[in-house]
Structure formats: C-alpha cells, structure tokens
Amino acid sequence: MLDVHHKGRAVVSSGARESMERDAETLHGFGLWATVSHDK
Amino acid sequence: VTEVPVARFRASQGGVTARFGAAQARIVRDLVSQVAELLGADPETAEDHPGADTPPVPDGPGPSDGQVLEAAFGLTDATEAPRDPVLARLLPDAYRDDPEAAGEFRRYTELSLRDGKVAAARTVLGTLPARGGRIRLSQPDAEAWLRALNDVRLALGVRLGVTDDFEEVGNGINPADPRAAYVWVYHWLAYLQESLVEALS
C-alpha cells in the first residue's frame, strides 16, 4: 500500500480478467481510477 | 457577525449525524445536482423524483431494435472516454494502453456506473434539506453520501486543476478567478468526507 503513497498507484487485486473487471467497475463506483492490466 | 461552524459528521445510533448551515447545504446540493446532471440525470427530475429514471428521448428517428435491445441489457454505444475531463475522471478508462479492451469494458459497465452515481446523488438531495439543519443518515444512505461527496470532490478537483499535492490545491489560481471561491469548498468537502469515513468506522 506504500506504493500508493510513493507512486500514486498500486496493485490491489489479481486474478481472472472477468473478476478483475468486476473489481475495476466497483472501484470506479467509489471514484477510484482502477485499471486492469495483463501480467506477462 | 455570526460564525457558523462548518458541517462535519459524527457517529450516532445506527448511522451518522451532521448539522449543516443553510449556505453549506445549498453548496452541497448545488454541486451534487451539477454532477448528477453531468452524468445524464434529467435536471427536472434529478432532485424530487427518485426512480423517474427514463433516458432522454433523442430527436429524430426513434431508436433501432438493436439500440432498444442494448439498452435493455444495460449496454451503451459509447466506447471512448467522455471528452469532458470531469466525466472522463468519473467514468474512467479501465485499460491504459488498450483502447479496444477499454471500449468493450465501457460498453458493458458505463450505464450502470452512471446510474449508481446518479442514485447516490439523489440520496444526498433527498436527505439534505435546502435550508440545512441537523440530518441523520442510515448506514446505507451514509455510504451513498460518501460516493456522491467523492464524485463532487473529484469533479471540483479536475476543474481546479488539482494534481498530486493536496496542500497545493488552488495555489495556481488567481484570487480574481471565479474558481477561487471553490478552493475553500474543495478543502471543506475533503474534511466533510473524512469526518464521514471516521463516523462510519
């Protein structure tokens, strides 16, 4: 969570795309700018 | 000179309570209504008719069968982030470097995201009288307030050009700028929001 402080962003969730998108949508509902990205 | 203390929330049985001066209530109601309208709520119905949520009927030819079906499933035609920077912040892209994935995500989620934000705004308008006074909020209403206050603060932040440093909000704004008055409002909303989080925790 210190990443949020230092970099302004942090990984808060990981998993399958569908559930990540659901999490992103929930966070958008709270005004948080969540993005989904694919780990290599 | 009468000084009215700025409103803040405290915990009370089964929820939270706060006392708003009339001017403070008007500021919150005004900003919350503006954000709801920006998100597509009908200005006539945004305040007093919760549930009257019919989408505006476009002029010209009616919607095609495809559009009716899409609306029934909560899909939108929109695949690009809104041009208005405030809307783009409230309805952000979910993929940074993949416009196609971002567009698909938006198509499936934007409508319900907008509806949720408008519903939260209506909760605020329905529980905060324009004359102010002491209000009590249930836990679910308080959570709607949190979301709506945050949206208003984000919207103001975009308009005020807020970047990373909270303390510097408004530093670049000339006192003659009409936005200058809102710098105080921005800080107060942050304070109000923090008091609400603390009252709920």
Side-chain angles (χ1 to χ4, degrees):
Chain A
M1 270 301 156
L2 262 183
D3 276 352
V4 171
H5 189 70
H6 293 302
K7 298 188 222 158
R9 35 195 301 213
V11 174
V12 293
S13 184
S14 65
R17 176 168 175 177
E18 286 74 19
S19 78
M20 289 308 93
E21 291 197 334
R22 218 157 32 237
D23 288 351
E25 190 185 353
T26 304
L27 292 170
H28 290 177
F30 283 97
L32 290 162
W33 191 338
T35 57
V36 180
S37 67
H38 181 68
D39 276 344
K40 295 126 278 202
Chain B
V1 176
T2 319
E3 283 198 9
V4 183
V6 293
R8 68 186 180 106
F9 285 97
R10 292 167 203 278
S12 76
Q13 296 117 325
V16 298
T17 180
R19 180 186 293 283
F20 284 82
Q24 292 164 29
R26 277 199 303 273
I27 290 170
V28 170
R29 289 180 57 89
D30 180 40
L31 292 172
V32 166
S33 311
Q34 284 185 40
V35 168
E37 279 178 40
L38 197 60
L39 286 163
D42 182 341
E44 296 302 313
T45 61
E47 300 208 6
D48 301 317
H49 305 282
D53 198 15
T54 41
V57 181
D59 291 333
S64 69
D65 288 351
Q67 284 170 326
V68 170
L69 253 186
E70 286 184 348
F73 285 101
L75 304 186
T76 61
D77 285 337
T79 55
E80 281 178 26
R83 292 227 179 99
D84 184 303
V86 169
L87 272 183
R89 179 61 189 84
L90 295 178
L91 309 168
D93 274 338
Y95 289 83
R96 256 165 220 277
D97 307 310
D98 188 342
E100 200 180 324
E104 191 73 349
F105 178 89
R106 183 171 296 282
R107 221 166 104 70
Y108 283 91
T109 62
E110 191 185 290
L111 215 56
S112 67
L113 187 59
R114 279 180 189 257
D115 285 352
K117 287 175 185 294
V118 169
R122 287 199 173 120
T123 298
V124 171
L125 297 172
T127 49
L128 178 63
R131 64 179 182 283
R134 177 163 295 283
I135 64 165
R136 284 177 203 283
L137 303 175
S138 65
Q139 178 109 6
D141 281 355
E143 285 167 13
W145 263 74
L146 262 188
R147 293 195 296 274
L149 282 181
N150 200 42
D151 284 344
V152 164
R153 203 174 54 83
L154 288 172
L156 262 185
V158 171
R159 295 283 191 245
L160 293 172
V162 173
T163 52
D164 290 344
D165 197 341
F166 180 81
E167 298 302 327
E168 286 176 13
V169 171
N171 276 5
I173 293 177
N174 188 300
D177 189 313
R179 293 178 301 167
Y182 285 96
V183 173
W184 178 84
V185 173
Y186 181 90
H187 285 288
W188 171 54
L189 286 175
Y191 173 75
L192 188 60
Q193 206 179 348
E194 189 181 357
S195 75
L196 184 47
V197 169
E198 278 173 13
L200 282 169
S201 56

